[in-house]
Amino acid sequence: MEGLSYNFNKIERKKTFDVSAFVSAYYFSYKPRFVPRPETYDFSQIFLILEGEGLYTTENGTYPFSPGMMFYRPAHHTSSYKWTSENVRFGLISLVCDSEAMNALGSAPIPLFGDEIASLFDLIRTGTRVCEELRATDEMLGMRFKPDTPDVVIDFLSASIERFLCMLYCRICGVELLIDESQKSNKYIDETVFSENIKKFLEEHITEQLTISRICAEFGISQTTLMKKFRRENGQGIMDYFMNRKIAEAKRLIHGTSKSFAEIAECLGFNSANYFSRVFKAREGITPTEYSKSVSKRNVTKL
């Protein structure tokens, strides 16, 4: 019996977004020490704002940005940004993509919905494991992939950013086959309000040793729902966020007051100065003492 042959309706793949090169992906839990200035690159950049506010200036104008937004810096265009707040967290992706569809991202910052934030932050988080900072003295000059990064990881990152760009493009251009914009918008608004209320509560109790159970009791919500919603909206766990806020406040106290490390530890609800020092170093890469010296050194230099 002869084998049967079939004809299939094949669709030739024409990529809407084609990321031809990946430069870096990184996450910042602090305000960069360098002062951003107008710059032009031969690659593009995507910023995800998780905390903090600022202004983004392009050839077309100046636009404010705030948490939950992304802005796109096209290759070969001059732009700059500056922070207008001290507490800052953001993700940064540098890539090469010459696809015409990138023009849909426009000049102004774009508000992202919950799932979009989570997808982009997952990509950035993967990048932090395979990228490293370039430094001269204590100034950050940029990022690069570690020399031993496997090609398949670069492929994964490229595919992930292409997926994110397709998802965002569909919403911006009204392609409803992949997204119901009205339902997603309502979901985003609800979760944003919920997240902001949680963060306000954490800020008001930053001197305490809060637990997940305490927060759940305060808002009448289950642990699973709390952690899922908060991570989806902010790109990190709620207790990680709370500890990052404690460390940010500790840095402010070290820089702006004469409190001892023991006093700061007690003020922020740490069990001991030693525990405070361990947490500080784990999150900042330096001890409180080293941070204090670096701050003092910069102040002397300014004088």
Side-chain angles (χ1 to χ4, degrees), residues 113 116 167 170-171 174-181 184:
F113 293 163
E116 293 165 350
M167 181 167 55
C170 285
R171 175 165 66 83
V175 181
E176 297 182 354
L177 291 175
L178 295 182
I179 183 171
D180 185 329
E181 185 172 352
K184 202 168 183 68

Side-chain angles (χ1 to χ4, degrees), residues 164-221:
F164 166 78
L165 290 170
C166 287
M167 181 167 55
L168 185 59
Y169 181 88
C170 285
R171 175 165 66 83
I172 292 174
C173 298
V175 181
E176 297 182 354
L177 291 175
L178 295 182
I179 183 171
D180 185 329
E181 185 172 352
S182 61
Q183 289 183 6
K184 202 168 183 68
S185 178
N186 291 335
K187 174 184 176 183
Y188 172 72
I189 292 171
D190 290 343
E191 292 196 354
T192 298
V193 172
F194 167 81
S195 176
E196 290 304 312
N197 288 337
I198 292 289
K199 289 193 286 188
K200 181 180 178 182
F201 176 78
L202 296 178
E203 204 69 33
E204 292 172 347
H205 296 79
I206 198 167
T207 62
E208 302 177 25
Q209 296 182 27
L210 289 178
T211 63
I212 291 290
S213 298
R214 165 79 187 283
I215 301 170
C216 289
E218 181 71 22
F219 288 87
I221 192 171

Side-chain angles (χ1 to χ4, degrees), residues 37-302:
R37 60 185 184 275
E39 293 178 315
T40 305
Y41 301 107
D42 60 356
F43 53 83
S44 301
Q45 291 185 318
I46 290 176
F47 285 72
L48 169 63
I49 312 303
L50 295 166
E51 183 177 7
E53 298 177 340
L55 297 172
Y56 174 49
T57 299
T58 73
E59 298 161 351
N60 298 319
T62 298
Y63 310 91
F65 61 80
S66 56
M69 290 184 170
M70 64 154 274
F71 63 85
Y72 164 60
R73 305 178 77 182
H76 309 297
H77 287 255
T78 301
S79 62
S80 65
Y81 66 96
K82 69 176 182 179
W83 297 99
T84 56
S85 58
E86 289 302 317
N87 296 323
V88 168
R89 287 190 304 111
F90 67 100
L92 168 63
I93 298 172
S94 300
L95 68 154
V96 176
C97 183
D98 298 324
S99 303
E100 184 178 349
M102 293 293 284
N103 294 328
L105 301 184
S107 299
I110 303 172
L112 297 184
F113 293 163
D115 288 344
E116 293 165 350
I117 293 175
S119 296
L120 191 54
F121 189 78
D122 281 345
L123 168 61
I124 292 167
R125 187 167 51 185
T126 301
T128 63
R129 296 198 290 267
V130 293
C131 289
E132 60 186 5
E133 299 178 7
L134 299 175
R135 292 182 178 274
T137 64
D138 64 343
E139 294 298 322
M140 184 166 52
L141 297 180
M143 311 292 170
R144 69 177 178 186
F145 280 98
K146 297 176 181 177
D148 58 349
T149 303
D151 290 341
V152 68
V153 174
I154 308 298
D155 290 343
F156 173 81
L157 291 171
S158 298
S160 296
I161 191 62
E162 288 175 2
R163 176 184 179 276
F164 166 78
L165 290 170
C166 287
M167 181 167 55
L168 185 59
Y169 181 88
C170 285
R171 175 165 66 83
I172 292 174
C173 298
V175 181
E176 297 182 354
L177 291 175
L178 295 182
I179 183 171
D180 185 329
E181 185 172 352
S182 61
Q183 289 183 6
K184 202 168 183 68
S185 178
N186 291 335
K187 174 184 176 183
Y188 172 72
I189 292 171
D190 290 343
E191 292 196 354
T192 298
V193 172
F194 167 81
S195 176
E196 290 304 312
N197 288 337
I198 292 289
K199 289 193 286 188
K200 181 180 178 182
F201 176 78
L202 296 178
E203 204 69 33
E204 292 172 347
H205 296 79
I206 198 167
T207 62
E208 302 177 25
Q209 296 182 27
L210 289 178
T211 63
I212 291 290
S213 298
R214 165 79 187 283
I215 301 170
C216 289
E218 181 71 22
F219 288 87
I221 192 171
S222 71
Q223 291 191 19
T224 300
T225 301
L226 170 67
M227 292 187 289
K228 183 178 180 180
K229 281 190 173 184
F230 193 90
R231 180 176 291 278
R232 184 161 53 204
E233 186 68 20
N234 297 279
Q236 64 176 324
I238 186 169
M239 299 313 291
D240 270 344
Y241 173 87
F242 188 45
M243 192 59 70
N244 284 336
R245 289 297 305 120
K246 282 180 178 285
I247 296 302
E249 178 63 11
K251 290 167 68 177
R252 186 190 70 80
L253 292 173
I254 292 172
H255 178 68
T257 72
S258 59
K259 291 180 180 293
S260 67
F261 296 147
E263 290 173 327
I264 292 174
E266 182 179 2
C267 177
L268 292 175
F270 289 94
N271 291 328
S272 67
N274 287 336
Y275 177 58
F276 163 66
S277 182
R278 291 199 303 272
V279 173
F280 191 102
K281 183 173 183 179
R283 292 177 181 268
E284 296 297 319
I286 57 177
T287 65
T289 300
E290 292 169 334
Y291 174 76
S292 179
K293 289 180 179 178
S294 68
V295 171
S296 298
K297 183 178 179 180
R298 287 199 294 270
N299 288 339
V300 169
T301 302
K302 289 180 181 178

